[in-house]
Amino acid sequence: MTRRFLAAIGAGLLSTALQLSTAAAQGTTPAAALMAQRIADAEPILSALVESYGVSGMEGPVRETVIRFLPSWAKAETDTAGNLWVRAGSGDPQVVFVAHMDEIGYRVTALRDDGSLDLERMGGFYTSLYEGRPALVHTGNRTVPGVFVPRETDRSARTDGSPKVLHTPPPLRVDVGSGSRAATEALGIRVGNTISMPKSYQRFAGTRATGRSFDDRVGCTALLLALRGMDPKKLRHEVAFIFSVREETGLDGARVVANALGIRPARVHAIDTFVSADSPLENPAFAVAPLGQGAVVRALDNSSVTPPAYVDTLRLLARGRSVALQVGTTNGGNDGSTFASYGVPDVPMGWPLRYSHSPAEVIDLKDVVSLGEMVLAAAESW
């Protein structure tokens, strides 16, 4: 361990001590006062990102929201794939942080004669969560309302009294109320348009919140919080912050980044969801990371294994800055795994999420704050 690394940890402890003494002078609980202020800083960013629509392949509105919250010093670039890049600092070793901008949803594959729309699923989720709900068709020029048509899931009892016959429901469709193919086309709807459902950010009691597309708008928020909290002139090496596209449909945006950077990065941090077993229906024997207890280092998932020494380093960083951090294993993959073919270590971090890829995802805002602080710590002090 280097003296510079230990000095950075000491500086973090001193900064925290000064903040705590200020809170105490104001007559509030120091830890609560610090967390309340940091949540107040994070929530406007997170809510704006959650309420921006961006099904895989159509991330433009999310990208514009990210740009709006960048600090004044940041110079953003968009590559040919649609990934947004922000570089800070200079020199080797290069460190990469990547969070994806896209969300799950649907793509229009055909317009029927009755004006309804055939769909292709973009990402992995349960189709049943969408049927019977309002729909939004994103044409690029306007948003057209509709409804995901309810489907028959079982047949009525037979006339002879025998049991119902279960069957596979038909494919999900969207009805925009047009009545004909020509009328649907007149609304500006075309094959390739994306479809989602209305969503909004809602604060619960305490520090909990619900919405859709926290995956991965929390990751994007963490990158923005780190960028807004750093002084780029104090960085000892280059740090690249990537807001990637098309993660949900195959890590496509991150693969473009990995191919562009090759073997140069010393490591990559994918900042994405930790699908937690902290839920009433989950088996607590795997993926346990309780909400409200901090960000999570993914020690293992379906796409990568984090070297134990890197996990230990992050835990030491967290301890030095008094940041809550958990360690866990979960299912799913992450953008950082696309760097594996170049020998770049993948050290993913995330936050615990309930009801992943549903219209009612639940987070704890304390974990959002913790994740942003861990991104900043890893960028500045490692």
Side-chain angles (χ1 to χ4, degrees), residues 106-118:
Y106 288 93
R107 186 179 74 90
V108 178
T109 59
L111 279 60
R112 294 194 175 195
D113 290 340
D114 65 0
S116 64
L117 310 174
D118 288 334

Side-chain angles (χ1 to χ4, degrees), residues 174-205:
V174 163
D175 179 9
V176 294
S178 63
S180 71
R181 182 197 302 268
T184 296
E185 291 176 340
L187 294 172
I189 297 174
R190 301 290 185 270
V191 170
N193 291 160
T194 57
I195 302 179
S196 61
M197 68 168 69
K199 58 177 180 172
S200 65
Y201 173 89
Q202 298 291 334
R203 179 76 178 265
F204 281 175

Side-chain angles (χ1 to χ4, degrees), residues 133-144:
R133 291 177 173 267
L136 295 175
V137 185
H138 306 284
T139 69
N141 297 320
R142 59 180 296 200
T143 299
V144 180

Side-chain angles (χ1 to χ4, degrees), residues 302-319:
N302 297 116
S303 68
S304 66
V305 179
T306 305
Y310 287 73
V311 175
D312 291 342
T313 300
L314 284 174
R315 295 177 73 176
L316 184 59
L317 272 173
R319 190 178 307 127

Side-chain angles (χ1 to χ4, degrees), residues 184-316:
T184 296
E185 291 176 340
L187 294 172
I189 297 174
R190 301 290 185 270
V191 170
N193 291 160
T194 57
I195 302 179
S196 61
M197 68 168 69
K199 58 177 180 172
S200 65
Y201 173 89
Q202 298 291 334
R203 179 76 178 265
F204 281 175
T207 55
R208 298 287 166 89
T210 186
R212 187 174 61 75
S213 72
F214 282 134
D215 177 9
D216 186 25
R217 307 302 161 74
V218 171
C220 293
T221 299
L223 264 58
L224 286 167
L225 290 173
L227 283 163
R228 290 159 69 96
M230 72 169 50
D231 180 351
K233 296 178 181 179
K234 295 182 179 180
L235 295 178
R236 304 194 311 270
H237 52 74
E238 180 181 315
V239 181
F241 292 83
I242 311 295
F243 299 85
S244 69
V245 297
R246 301 194 302 279
E247 188 271 351
E248 300 290 2
T249 53
L251 315 181
D252 298 328
R255 189 168 289 107
V256 170
V257 176
N259 292 339
L261 296 178
I263 63 172
R264 187 188 170 199
R267 65 183 187 277
V268 57
H269 295 279
I271 310 301
D272 204 347
T273 309
F274 184 93
V275 180
S276 176
D278 182 10
S279 168
L281 300 179
E282 298 292 339
N283 185 341
F286 178 70
V288 177
L291 271 66
Q293 295 189 20
V296 191
V297 182
R298 285 197 199 187
L300 171 71
D301 65 18
N302 297 116
S303 68
S304 66
V305 179
T306 305
Y310 287 73
V311 175
D312 291 342
T313 300
L314 284 174
R315 295 177 73 176
L316 184 59

Side-chain angles (χ1 to χ4, degrees), residues 4-51:
R4 183 177 291 179
F5 183 61
L6 288 171
I9 291 176
L13 288 170
L14 177 60
S15 175
T16 300
L18 290 172
Q19 290 173 316
L20 292 176
S21 63
T22 300
Q26 295 173 344
T28 60
T29 303
L34 279 173
M35 184 56 67
Q37 181 56 56
R38 290 170 180 171
I39 287 176
D41 293 339
E43 198 165 26
I45 302 172
L46 178 59
S47 61
L49 285 168
V50 164
E51 294 180 356

